[in-house]
Amino acid sequence: MSDPYMGREIAGQFRIVQRIGSGGMGAVYRAEQVDMNRFVAIKILHSKYLPRADLVSRFRREARAMSHLSHPNTARVFLHGQLEDGACYFVMEYLEGCNLAQVVRDEGPIEPGRAIHIMVQVCGALEEAHRMGIIHRDLKPENIFLTCQGGIEDFPKVLDFGLAKVTERQMRPDSLILTRKGMVFGTPEFMSPEQARGKTLDARSDIYSLGMISYEMLTGKLPFDAKQPMEYINHHLNTSPIPLGERAPQLHIPAGLDAALMRALAKEPTYRFETAALFAQALRSCGEEPWNAHLTGMLPARLSTRETPSFVDDDNDLHPSQKVSPWASSEHPRHVRKFQLPRGFVPSPASNSFSSMLPWIVFVAGLILAVGGVVALVLALNYR
């Protein structure tokens, strides 16, 4: 069956020359912009999905979110609109290279210095998005694309803001809030514990995902042993990450790097880096001691949960960027999934930071009473 968009002119200036990715709900094309003597990528949502207001709104939200971002490490969006048949599209920069998942799969673990160089740039892109009230919510190696720009190798571009959470100050009055209460979207291998619970997210959720990505870059593995999506969810909620030195004993890990990643991967958001900029600073300084001297004592007790979410793999609610990234390998098994939190799901009291500190409070109080008793006894004996 021939593709109706092949050879078609978009917005009077872009001529589609090749399909470079496709999914159940749309496709991504390489197009030539003759007047500018360059290629662009065009993502098109099939017109048959126009009745789905949630999908159309999510597609437009991705274009809108990315068009607001100007950081050099974020893929640029030039234009968005609708075709004559009603199909939504947006035009973005065309990139040549491969994503991080492909790099790790083909080359193995990435040398620490190179990994830090890449992730510091990614943190810069996320810092801009977070300052504008945009939370990505689906960071994973497939959504970080390595290219060469301005002669700079390993120049990452952050892709696919299709699940981005835009705060109220960034939303138009007619925008839809798509994620229903109790419904969770994301990629299980890289989502934060609070995202798995369906909680309200902030920048620290993305930082947890960055920690997961960094860990996989360095070791070629995730910090938990699992095969099924629900196993990853359980580990995010309950399991402490395997230290880098244990996961990859053959690697030379710079001083402080393990502590930095463990802080980014803290179960409780309050114990993570507050901003992507602070995480980047920690990565740059990982060979130095001052910044990480107190990290170990700041890590919280492991969280637990009484009940874990039931998983639903539903591609029907995804748009093309989740089914296949313009430059991602379609062979990779990871993709966005949604799952419904079970009725009555509540975090265990162990997830409360005060509860996790209660044993220490009792211990310190008992110690103070014991010391006070000894002092009182000594004073009483001296006055007899």
Side-chain angles (χ1 to χ4, degrees):
M1 181 177 177
S2 61
D3 191 316
Y5 296 114
M6 288 301 300
R8 187 168 178 175
E9 191 173 87
I10 305 294
Q13 56 179 317
F14 307 103
R15 184 175 61 85
I16 293 178
V17 297
Q18 180 187 7
R19 183 165 66 177
I20 57 178
S22 63
M25 299 189 330
V28 181
Y29 300 88
R30 184 168 68 111
E32 184 181 14
Q33 188 177 16
V34 179
D35 291 343
M36 300 294 290
N37 191 29
R38 68 177 178 183
F39 288 104
V40 297
I42 300 181
K43 184 181 292 186
I44 301 178
L45 179 68
H46 289 323
S47 58
K48 65 182 180 180
Y49 291 106
L50 280 176
R52 289 286 303 273
D54 57 340
L55 299 180
V56 173
S57 182
R58 184 176 299 155
F59 191 88
R60 289 173 174 169
R61 182 171 62 183
E62 177 177 8
R64 190 177 305 143
M66 294 183 70
S67 66
H68 287 163
L69 302 173
S70 60
H71 195 279
N73 294 113
T74 301
R76 293 176 295 164
V77 167
F78 305 125
L79 181 70
H80 63 90
Q82 283 185 278
L83 302 175
E84 294 83 356
D85 61 2
C88 297
Y89 72 89
F90 66 82
V91 181
M92 59 193 301
E93 64 178 315
Y94 178 76
L95 303 174
E96 294 184 352
C98 55
N99 63 48
L100 277 181
Q102 294 170 313
V103 172
V104 174
R105 184 174 65 245
D106 296 341
E107 302 178 15
I110 296 177
E111 185 270 329
R114 182 187 179 194
I116 291 171
H117 169 72
I118 292 169
M119 291 309 298
V120 165
Q121 296 176 81
V122 173
C123 286
L126 268 296
E127 178 69 15
E128 182 201 33
H130 294 162
R131 286 180 180 272
M132 296 182 65
I134 299 172
I135 312 301
H136 192 289
R137 300 200 303 174
D138 190 34
L139 289 168
K140 54 187 175 182
E142 291 85 345
N143 285 343
I144 297 175
F145 192 85
L146 289 186
T147 186
C148 177
Q149 182 164 306
I152 302 174
E153 298 289 343
D154 284 340
F155 196 94
K157 292 278 188 174
V158 179
L159 308 172
D160 287 355
F161 278 79
L163 289 186
K165 177 67 174 179
V166 183
T167 58
E168 292 181 2
R169 62 190 174 93
Q170 290 293 335
M171 296 183 71
R172 294 183 179 179
D174 60 346
S175 295
L176 295 176
I177 300 177
L178 299 174
T179 306
R180 300 187 300 274
K181 185 176 181 180
M183 183 67 73
V184 179
F185 294 84
T187 305
E189 292 92 331
F190 297 92
M191 66 170 54
S192 66
E194 61 269 27
Q195 186 173 3
R197 286 193 172 95
K199 300 294 185 180
T200 300
L201 305 182
D202 60 23
R204 294 169 298 184
S205 178
D206 280 350
I207 290 171
Y208 182 94
S209 299
L210 290 179
M212 293 290 294
I213 294 169
S214 301
Y215 192 105
E216 187 179 61
M217 289 172 64
L218 291 164
T219 66
K221 303 175 182 178
L222 292 172
F224 315 116
D225 290 318
K227 294 181 179 179
Q228 300 300 320
M230 277 309 306
E231 292 182 71
Y232 285 110
I233 297 298
N234 286 326
H235 283 310
H236 289 311
L237 295 173
N238 301 308
T239 308
S240 299
I242 301 172
L244 284 174
E246 294 181 20
R247 203 50 152 165
Q250 75 282 6
L251 296 179
H252 172 68
I253 305 298
L257 184 55
D258 197 10
L261 293 194
M262 293 305 105
R263 181 172 177 181
L265 293 174
K267 304 294 184 188
E268 178 63 44
T270 55
Y271 289 94
R272 297 178 204 143
F273 297 101
E274 293 184 5
T275 66
L278 288 175
F279 185 33
Q281 178 182 343
L283 291 174
R284 279 193 298 260
S285 307
C286 69
E288 302 171 6
E289 293 299 326
W291 73 268
N292 66 1
H294 306 291
L295 286 187
T296 303
M298 294 179 66
L299 296 179
R302 186 176 72 178
L303 302 186
S304 64
T305 182
R306 294 172 181 169
E307 188 175 7
T308 54
S310 59
F311 190 86
V312 179
D313 189 355
D314 185 357
D315 273 352
N316 293 327
D317 203 22
L318 307 179
H319 61 75
S321 66
Q322 273 89 54
K323 292 229 175 182
V324 56
S325 172
W327 307 278
S329 169
S330 58
E331 299 175 358
H332 203 283
R334 297 174 191 150
H335 54 91
V336 175
R337 300 178 175 96
K338 71 175 183 178
F339 53 93
Q340 179 73 46
L341 294 178
R343 182 176 298 177
F345 174 80
V346 291
S348 165
S351 66
N352 183 281
S353 58
F354 175 78
S355 299
S356 64
M357 294 174 60
L358 189 58
W360 289 103
I361 295 174
V362 173
F363 173 76
V364 172
L367 184 62
I368 292 174
L369 290 175
V371 172
V374 172
V375 171
L377 179 62
V378 171
L379 291 176
L381 292 174
N382 287 339
Y383 280 102
R384 288 185 60 181

